mmCIF file of all heavy atoms in Angstrom:
data_model
loop_
_atom_site.group_PDB
_atom_site.id
_atom_site.type_symbol
_atom_site.label_atom_id
_atom_site.label_comp_id
_atom_site.label_asym_id
_atom_site.label_seq_id
_atom_site.Cartn_x
_atom_site.Cartn_y
_atom_site.Cartn_z
ATOM 1 N N PRO A 1 0.833 -1.216 0.000
ATOM 2 C CA PRO A 1 0.000 0.000 0.000
ATOM 3 C C PRO A 1 0.860 1.257 0.000
ATOM 4 O O PRO A 1 2.017 1.245 0.449
ATOM 5 C CB PRO A 1 -0.789 -0.117 1.309
ATOM 6 C CG PRO A 1 0.089 -0.938 2.204
ATOM 7 C CD PRO A 1 0.802 -1.916 1.292
ATOM 8 N N GLN A 2 0.302 2.335 -0.479
ATOM 9 C CA GLN A 2 0.981 3.634 -0.461
ATOM 10 C C GLN A 2 0.491 4.517 0.680
ATOM 11 O O GLN A 2 1.073 5.560 0.945
ATOM 12 C CB GLN A 2 0.777 4.345 -1.796
ATOM 13 C CG GLN A 2 1.330 3.574 -2.988
ATOM 14 C CD GLN A 2 1.153 4.310 -4.296
ATOM 15 O OE1 GLN A 2 0.908 5.511 -4.327
ATOM 16 N NE2 GLN A 2 1.272 3.587 -5.395
ATOM 17 N N VAL A 3 -0.578 4.094 1.340
ATOM 18 C CA VAL A 3 -1.123 4.819 2.488
ATOM 19 C C VAL A 3 -1.249 3.831 3.640
ATOM 20 O O VAL A 3 -1.779 2.735 3.469
ATOM 21 C CB VAL A 3 -2.504 5.432 2.158
ATOM 22 C CG1 VAL A 3 -3.049 6.172 3.369
ATOM 23 C CG2 VAL A 3 -2.405 6.365 0.957
ATOM 24 N N LEU A 4 -0.738 4.226 4.806
ATOM 25 C CA LEU A 4 -0.732 3.339 5.965
ATOM 26 C C LEU A 4 -1.406 4.011 7.158
ATOM 27 O O LEU A 4 -1.285 5.234 7.339
ATOM 28 C CB LEU A 4 0.705 2.974 6.340
ATOM 29 C CG LEU A 4 1.472 2.106 5.333
ATOM 30 C CD1 LEU A 4 2.949 2.071 5.681
ATOM 31 C CD2 LEU A 4 0.899 0.699 5.303
ATOM 32 N N PRO A 5 -2.091 3.240 7.989
ATOM 33 C CA PRO A 5 -2.742 3.842 9.159
ATOM 34 C C PRO A 5 -1.725 4.188 10.252
ATOM 35 O O PRO A 5 -0.733 3.497 10.433
ATOM 36 C CB PRO A 5 -3.691 2.738 9.626
ATOM 37 C CG PRO A 5 -3.041 1.466 9.165
ATOM 38 C CD PRO A 5 -2.369 1.799 7.868
ATOM 39 N N VAL A 6 -2.009 5.267 10.956
ATOM 40 C CA VAL A 6 -1.200 5.688 12.101
ATOM 41 C C VAL A 6 -2.001 5.506 13.391
ATOM 42 O O VAL A 6 -1.551 4.887 14.345
ATOM 43 C CB VAL A 6 -0.761 7.157 11.957
ATOM 44 C CG1 VAL A 6 0.024 7.618 13.191
ATOM 45 C CG2 VAL A 6 0.066 7.355 10.688
ATOM 46 N N ALA A 7 -3.178 6.072 13.403
ATOM 47 C CA ALA A 7 -4.093 5.972 14.551
ATOM 48 C C ALA A 7 -5.498 6.205 14.004
ATOM 49 O O ALA A 7 -5.685 6.363 12.797
ATOM 50 C CB ALA A 7 -3.716 7.008 15.617
ATOM 51 N N ASP A 8 -6.488 6.205 14.892
ATOM 52 C CA ASP A 8 -7.856 6.440 14.448
ATOM 53 C C ASP A 8 -7.941 7.736 13.658
ATOM 54 O O ASP A 8 -7.554 8.817 14.144
ATOM 55 C CB ASP A 8 -8.801 6.511 15.651
ATOM 56 C CG ASP A 8 -8.965 5.159 16.331
ATOM 57 O OD1 ASP A 8 -8.644 4.141 15.685
ATOM 58 O OD2 ASP A 8 -9.406 5.132 17.495
ATOM 59 N N GLU A 9 -8.416 7.628 12.425
ATOM 60 C CA GLU A 9 -8.631 8.768 11.540
ATOM 61 C C GLU A 9 -7.339 9.504 11.191
ATOM 62 O O GLU A 9 -7.374 10.666 10.775
ATOM 63 C CB GLU A 9 -9.646 9.738 12.156
ATOM 64 C CG GLU A 9 -11.014 9.106 12.396
ATOM 65 C CD GLU A 9 -12.030 10.097 12.914
ATOM 66 O OE1 GLU A 9 -11.667 11.281 13.103
ATOM 67 O OE2 GLU A 9 -13.176 9.691 13.144
ATOM 68 N N ILE A 10 -6.195 8.848 11.362
ATOM 69 C CA ILE A 10 -4.914 9.437 10.964
ATOM 70 C C ILE A 10 -4.200 8.459 10.049
ATOM 71 O O ILE A 10 -4.019 7.289 10.407
ATOM 72 C CB ILE A 10 -4.013 9.753 12.182
ATOM 73 C CG1 ILE A 10 -4.712 10.711 13.141
ATOM 74 C CG2 ILE A 10 -2.680 10.340 11.722
ATOM 75 C CD1 ILE A 10 -3.916 10.993 14.402
ATOM 76 N N GLU A 11 -3.809 8.933 8.876
ATOM 77 C CA GLU A 11 -3.102 8.095 7.922
ATOM 78 C C GLU A 11 -1.803 8.769 7.489
ATOM 79 O O GLU A 11 -1.655 9.992 7.576
ATOM 80 C CB GLU A 11 -3.971 7.829 6.688
ATOM 81 C CG GLU A 11 -5.186 6.964 6.956
ATOM 82 C CD GLU A 11 -5.988 6.692 5.693
ATOM 83 O OE1 GLU A 11 -5.998 7.576 4.802
ATOM 84 O OE2 GLU A 11 -6.591 5.612 5.603
ATOM 85 N N HIS A 12 -0.879 7.940 7.038
ATOM 86 C CA HIS A 12 0.391 8.443 6.518
ATOM 87 C C HIS A 12 0.496 8.063 5.052
ATOM 88 O O HIS A 12 0.418 6.884 4.695
ATOM 89 C CB HIS A 12 1.563 7.832 7.300
ATOM 90 C CG HIS A 12 2.904 8.137 6.693
ATOM 91 N ND1 HIS A 12 3.424 9.414 6.618
ATOM 92 C CD2 HIS A 12 3.839 7.320 6.105
ATOM 93 C CE1 HIS A 12 4.611 9.373 6.046
ATOM 94 N NE2 HIS A 12 4.886 8.111 5.716
ATOM 95 N N VAL A 13 0.666 9.063 4.215
ATOM 96 C CA VAL A 13 0.869 8.836 2.788
ATOM 97 C C VAL A 13 2.374 8.765 2.545
ATOM 98 O O VAL A 13 3.097 9.730 2.806
ATOM 99 C CB VAL A 13 0.245 9.963 1.942
ATOM 100 C CG1 VAL A 13 0.503 9.715 0.453
ATOM 101 C CG2 VAL A 13 -1.246 10.075 2.219
ATOM 102 N N ILE A 14 2.849 7.622 2.083
ATOM 103 C CA ILE A 14 4.285 7.458 1.843
ATOM 104 C C ILE A 14 4.672 8.345 0.669
ATOM 105 O O ILE A 14 4.124 8.214 -0.425
ATOM 106 C CB ILE A 14 4.634 5.993 1.551
ATOM 107 C CG1 ILE A 14 4.138 5.088 2.685
ATOM 108 C CG2 ILE A 14 6.139 5.830 1.369
ATOM 109 C CD1 ILE A 14 4.330 3.605 2.416
ATOM 110 N N PRO A 15 5.622 9.261 0.868
ATOM 111 C CA PRO A 15 5.954 10.202 -0.214
ATOM 112 C C PRO A 15 6.828 9.556 -1.283
ATOM 113 O O PRO A 15 7.518 8.568 -1.019
ATOM 114 C CB PRO A 15 6.721 11.305 0.518
ATOM 115 C CG PRO A 15 7.366 10.601 1.668
ATOM 116 C CD PRO A 15 6.384 9.523 2.089
ATOM 117 N N PRO A 16 6.812 10.100 -2.488
ATOM 118 C CA PRO A 16 7.664 9.553 -3.546
ATOM 119 C C PRO A 16 9.102 10.031 -3.404
ATOM 120 O O PRO A 16 9.356 11.173 -3.017
ATOM 121 C CB PRO A 16 7.027 10.107 -4.822
ATOM 122 C CG PRO A 16 6.439 11.424 -4.388
ATOM 123 C CD PRO A 16 5.957 11.206 -2.976
ATOM 124 N N TYR A 17 10.040 9.150 -3.705
ATOM 125 C CA TYR A 17 11.453 9.546 -3.767
ATOM 126 C C TYR A 17 11.676 10.054 -5.192
ATOM 127 O O TYR A 17 12.216 9.357 -6.043
ATOM 128 C CB TYR A 17 12.331 8.337 -3.466
ATOM 129 C CG TYR A 17 13.677 8.669 -2.862
ATOM 130 C CD1 TYR A 17 14.557 7.648 -2.507
ATOM 131 C CD2 TYR A 17 14.082 9.975 -2.636
ATOM 132 C CE1 TYR A 17 15.788 7.917 -1.941
ATOM 133 C CE2 TYR A 17 15.311 10.257 -2.069
ATOM 134 C CZ TYR A 17 16.157 9.224 -1.720
ATOM 135 O OH TYR A 17 17.389 9.504 -1.164
ATOM 136 N N ASP A 18 11.258 11.277 -5.442
ATOM 137 C CA ASP A 18 11.179 11.804 -6.792
ATOM 138 C C ASP A 18 12.458 12.515 -7.198
ATOM 139 O O ASP A 18 13.433 12.585 -6.433
ATOM 140 C CB ASP A 18 9.966 12.722 -6.924
ATOM 141 C CG ASP A 18 9.948 13.838 -5.878
ATOM 142 O OD1 ASP A 18 11.019 14.147 -5.308
ATOM 143 O OD2 ASP A 18 8.863 14.399 -5.628
ATOM 144 N N LEU A 19 12.433 13.055 -8.406
ATOM 145 C CA LEU A 19 13.627 13.689 -8.959
ATOM 146 C C LEU A 19 14.053 14.894 -8.124
ATOM 147 O O LEU A 19 15.250 15.130 -7.923
ATOM 148 C CB LEU A 19 13.369 14.111 -10.406
ATOM 149 C CG LEU A 19 14.567 14.662 -11.185
ATOM 150 C CD1 LEU A 19 15.687 13.630 -11.275
ATOM 151 C CD2 LEU A 19 14.132 15.107 -12.587
ATOM 152 N N GLN A 20 13.087 15.644 -7.604
ATOM 153 C CA GLN A 20 13.422 16.799 -6.773
ATOM 154 C C GLN A 20 14.167 16.372 -5.510
ATOM 155 O O GLN A 20 15.153 16.998 -5.115
ATOM 156 C CB GLN A 20 12.157 17.561 -6.392
ATOM 157 C CG GLN A 20 11.586 18.418 -7.505
ATOM 158 C CD GLN A 20 10.428 19.270 -7.001
ATOM 159 O OE1 GLN A 20 9.577 18.808 -6.229
ATOM 160 N NE2 GLN A 20 10.380 20.510 -7.421
ATOM 161 N N ALA A 21 13.685 15.305 -4.859
ATOM 162 C CA ALA A 21 14.337 14.833 -3.633
ATOM 163 C C ALA A 21 15.745 14.324 -3.915
ATOM 164 O O ALA A 21 16.707 14.674 -3.208
ATOM 165 C CB ALA A 21 13.496 13.732 -2.997
ATOM 166 N N LEU A 22 15.883 13.503 -4.933
ATOM 167 C CA LEU A 22 17.196 12.941 -5.265
ATOM 168 C C LEU A 22 18.168 14.042 -5.678
ATOM 169 O O LEU A 22 19.370 13.976 -5.370
ATOM 170 C CB LEU A 22 17.052 11.917 -6.380
ATOM 171 C CG LEU A 22 16.308 10.630 -5.998
ATOM 172 C CD1 LEU A 22 15.826 9.894 -7.247
ATOM 173 C CD2 LEU A 22 17.198 9.721 -5.160
ATOM 174 N N SER A 23 17.676 15.067 -6.345
ATOM 175 C CA SER A 23 18.546 16.142 -6.828
ATOM 176 C C SER A 23 18.990 17.065 -5.709
ATOM 177 O O SER A 23 20.156 17.481 -5.659
ATOM 178 C CB SER A 23 17.818 16.944 -7.921
ATOM 179 O OG SER A 23 17.507 16.134 -9.035
ATOM 180 N N ILE A 24 18.061 17.421 -4.809
ATOM 181 C CA ILE A 24 18.449 18.328 -3.718
ATOM 182 C C ILE A 24 19.484 17.659 -2.821
ATOM 183 O O ILE A 24 20.348 18.324 -2.252
ATOM 184 C CB ILE A 24 17.211 18.770 -2.898
ATOM 185 C CG1 ILE A 24 17.528 20.030 -2.077
ATOM 186 C CG2 ILE A 24 16.718 17.668 -1.975
ATOM 187 C CD1 ILE A 24 17.622 21.274 -2.899
ATOM 188 N N GLU A 25 19.427 16.333 -2.719
ATOM 189 C CA GLU A 25 20.397 15.624 -1.885
ATOM 190 C C GLU A 25 21.806 15.707 -2.458
ATOM 191 O O GLU A 25 22.771 15.910 -1.721
ATOM 192 C CB GLU A 25 19.970 14.167 -1.719
ATOM 193 C CG GLU A 25 18.747 13.979 -0.848
ATOM 194 C CD GLU A 25 18.340 12.526 -0.727
ATOM 195 O OE1 GLU A 25 18.635 11.727 -1.631
ATOM 196 O OE2 GLU A 25 17.730 12.185 0.298
ATOM 197 N N VAL A 26 21.951 15.539 -3.781
ATOM 198 C CA VAL A 26 23.310 15.562 -4.341
ATOM 199 C C VAL A 26 23.917 16.952 -4.273
ATOM 200 O O VAL A 26 25.148 17.102 -4.300
ATOM 201 C CB VAL A 26 23.353 15.027 -5.789
ATOM 202 C CG1 VAL A 26 22.971 13.558 -5.827
ATOM 203 C CG2 VAL A 26 22.478 15.847 -6.727
ATOM 204 N N GLU A 27 23.095 17.987 -4.163
ATOM 205 C CA GLU A 27 23.645 19.333 -4.036
ATOM 206 C C GLU A 27 24.424 19.512 -2.739
ATOM 207 O O GLU A 27 25.247 20.430 -2.618
ATOM 208 C CB GLU A 27 22.525 20.368 -4.134
ATOM 209 C CG GLU A 27 21.951 20.511 -5.536
ATOM 210 C CD GLU A 27 21.055 21.730 -5.674
ATOM 211 O OE1 GLU A 27 21.579 22.862 -5.583
ATOM 212 O OE2 GLU A 27 19.842 21.548 -5.858
ATOM 213 N N LEU A 28 24.181 18.645 -1.763
ATOM 214 C CA LEU A 28 24.970 18.706 -0.524
ATOM 215 C C LEU A 28 26.451 18.498 -0.805
ATOM 216 O O LEU A 28 27.310 19.006 -0.068
ATOM 217 C CB LEU A 28 24.474 17.651 0.464
ATOM 218 C CG LEU A 28 23.033 17.807 0.975
ATOM 219 C CD1 LEU A 28 22.645 16.590 1.800
ATOM 220 C CD2 LEU A 28 22.892 19.079 1.795
ATOM 221 N N PHE A 29 26.779 17.745 -1.843
ATOM 222 C CA PHE A 29 28.183 17.524 -2.213
ATOM 223 C C PHE A 29 28.853 18.850 -2.532
ATOM 224 O O PHE A 29 29.965 19.129 -2.060
ATOM 225 C CB PHE A 29 28.253 16.587 -3.422
ATOM 226 C CG PHE A 29 29.656 16.327 -3.921
ATOM 227 C CD1 PHE A 29 30.397 15.271 -3.422
ATOM 228 C CD2 PHE A 29 30.237 17.148 -4.888
ATOM 229 C CE1 PHE A 29 31.692 15.037 -3.870
ATOM 230 C CE2 PHE A 29 31.515 16.923 -5.349
ATOM 231 C CZ PHE A 29 32.250 15.859 -4.840
ATOM 232 N N ILE A 30 28.179 19.683 -3.328
ATOM 233 C CA ILE A 30 28.754 20.973 -3.709
ATOM 234 C C ILE A 30 28.787 21.918 -2.516
ATOM 235 O O ILE A 30 29.786 22.600 -2.263
ATOM 236 C CB ILE A 30 27.943 21.585 -4.872
ATOM 237 C CG1 ILE A 30 28.167 20.773 -6.148
ATOM 238 C CG2 ILE A 30 28.320 23.045 -5.085
ATOM 239 C CD1 ILE A 30 27.350 21.242 -7.326
ATOM 240 N N ASP A 31 27.689 21.968 -1.773
ATOM 241 C CA ASP A 31 27.556 22.958 -0.702
ATOM 242 C C ASP A 31 28.427 22.663 0.508
ATOM 243 O O ASP A 31 28.834 23.601 1.223
ATOM 244 C CB ASP A 31 26.095 23.050 -0.265
ATOM 245 C CG ASP A 31 25.187 23.565 -1.371
ATOM 246 O OD1 ASP A 31 25.695 24.264 -2.263
ATOM 247 O OD2 ASP A 31 23.982 23.245 -1.354
#
C-alpha cells in the first residue's frame, strides 16, 4: 500500500522519492 494507518482517523501517505528529492540531496556535495 501507499497509504498506511497511524491511529484512528490518521493516515500516513508514503511520499515519492522523486527527482526533486534525489537532486536536492546531491547538491549537498557541492555545498
Side-chain angles (χ1 to χ4, degrees):
Q2 300 182 17
V3 180
L4 293 168
V6 177
D8 291 342
E9 300 184 359
I10 302 176
E11 292 182 328
H12 171 65
V13 179
I14 305 175
Y17 208 178
D18 54 20
L19 186 60
Q20 284 187 318
L22 292 162
S23 298
I24 198 73
E25 289 179 334
V26 295
E27 288 192 67
L28 296 173
F29 178 90
I30 290 177
D31 296 336

